[in-house]
Amino acid sequence: GNSVTQMEGPVTLSEEAFLTINCTYTATGYPSLFWYVQYPGEGLQLLLKATKADDKGSNKGFEATYRKETTSFHLEKGSVQVSDSAVYFCALIAYSGAGSYQLTFGKGTKLSVIP
Amino acid sequence: SQTIHQWPATLVQPVGSPLSLECTVEGTSNPNLYWYRQAAGRGLQLLFYSVGIGQISSEVPQNLSASRPQDRQFILSSKKLLLSDSGFYLCAWSPISSGNTIYFGEGSWLTVV
């Protein structure tokens, strides 16, 4: 089956530090890859996505590149802010037949940014 | 544009009581629909998904059930809640045409006491 492995947290950074959250996956076929973010007390929001190899997803200063050769989709941001404190989930979606797409999540990485 | 709504947002229920969480999607037809649960300190777990009216697939054996009485309505139910049913429940949808993006509702916090 499909699986997503992301680095365990929590991750604590100072404001303006560089962020990397590692994510690797196993999947059959050609999945699409996502990063979702969950701010404290809120639901999940789509942060960025990439649908094919070498695609780069970007949003709000965050970036991730779909690396098929290393089966990775690491999340990066050059300068984090306190408002980036949240839980970040790496995910993939793959076609599972009969018109259905299955979304598989990593366990999430909690990021805390301190002033 | 498409929107998804689920309710109630917060629920506190005694053990053994029934549960009904409702989710509706607007602005699209024949979406794939999903129910996920996020237990405290854990990741997201797919509970049910549906590719059409009356078509429900269950990912894990559990105390919950799901129904899709209309194309854009997805209901999560339980006849008798357990303490272990507490958690954050998320409804989601994806377009059947491409399916390569899933959009989530606001979530429902369930506490079973």
Side-chain angles (χ1 to χ4, degrees):
Chain A
N2 302 328
S3 68
V4 175
T5 303
Q6 62 181 102
M7 62 186 289
E8 294 189 15
V11 174
T12 302
L13 295 174
S14 298
E15 209 166 19
E16 299 184 1
F18 184 85
L19 168 72
T20 299
I21 301 178
N22 290 337
C23 171
T24 57
Y25 69 91
T26 57
T28 55
Y30 300 95
S32 296
L33 302 175
F34 304 83
W35 278 99
Y36 284 87
V37 58
Q38 185 178 31
Y39 297 103
E42 300 184 14
L44 280 172
Q45 301 175 27
L46 177 63
L47 180 60
L48 54 84
K49 68 175 184 178
T51 57
K52 61 183 186 296
D54 299 325
D55 267 3
K56 177 184 284 187
S58 61
N59 186 26
K60 299 181 180 179
F62 291 90
E63 292 183 341
T65 302
Y66 190 144
R67 301 289 187 197
K68 195 171 189 300
E69 65 277 11
T70 55
T71 62
S72 65
F73 193 54
H74 304 322
L75 182 68
E76 297 181 335
K77 186 173 185 182
S79 176
V80 294
Q81 305 300 312
V82 172
S83 57
D84 293 326
S85 297
V87 181
Y88 293 82
F89 292 90
C90 184
L92 69 84
I93 188 166
Y95 185 66
S96 59
S100 174
Y101 289 80
Q102 292 295 300
L103 182 65
T104 304
F105 281 93
K107 292 187 176 181
T109 303
K110 184 176 181 180
L111 169 67
S112 297
V113 181
I114 55 178
Chain B
S1 64
Q2 301 89 357
T3 57
I4 178 170
H5 300 288
Q6 65 176 100
W7 65 93
T10 306
L11 201 59
V12 180
Q13 291 286 100
V15 169
S17 65
L19 170 72
S20 181
L21 299 179
E22 189 165 343
C23 172
T24 60
V25 181
E26 297 177 359
T28 188
S29 296
N30 199 24
N32 293 324
L33 296 173
Y34 310 83
W35 277 110
Y36 285 85
R37 175 171 58 198
Q38 183 182 28
R42 299 176 63 181
L44 283 158
Q45 181 183 39
L46 176 63
L47 302 176
F48 300 96
Y49 70 91
S50 171
V51 298
I53 295 175
Q55 300 178 61
I56 310 293
S57 296
S58 175
E59 288 297 297
V60 293
Q62 57 199 306
N63 184 42
L64 302 169
S65 62
S67 62
R68 186 170 178 174
Q70 300 181 39
D71 180 42
R72 292 170 292 170
Q73 183 184 28
F74 205 25
I75 298 172
L76 183 69
S77 304
S78 173
K79 292 183 179 179
K80 290 185 178 181
L81 284 169
L82 305 172
L83 287 174
S84 58
D85 291 325
S86 294
F88 187 55
Y89 290 83
L90 286 159
C91 182
W93 75 277
S94 67
I96 197 162
S97 57
S98 63
N100 66 354
T101 301
I102 287 188
Y103 302 93
F104 287 88
E106 306 93 332
S108 299
W109 289 99
L110 171 65
T111 303
V112 182
V113 296

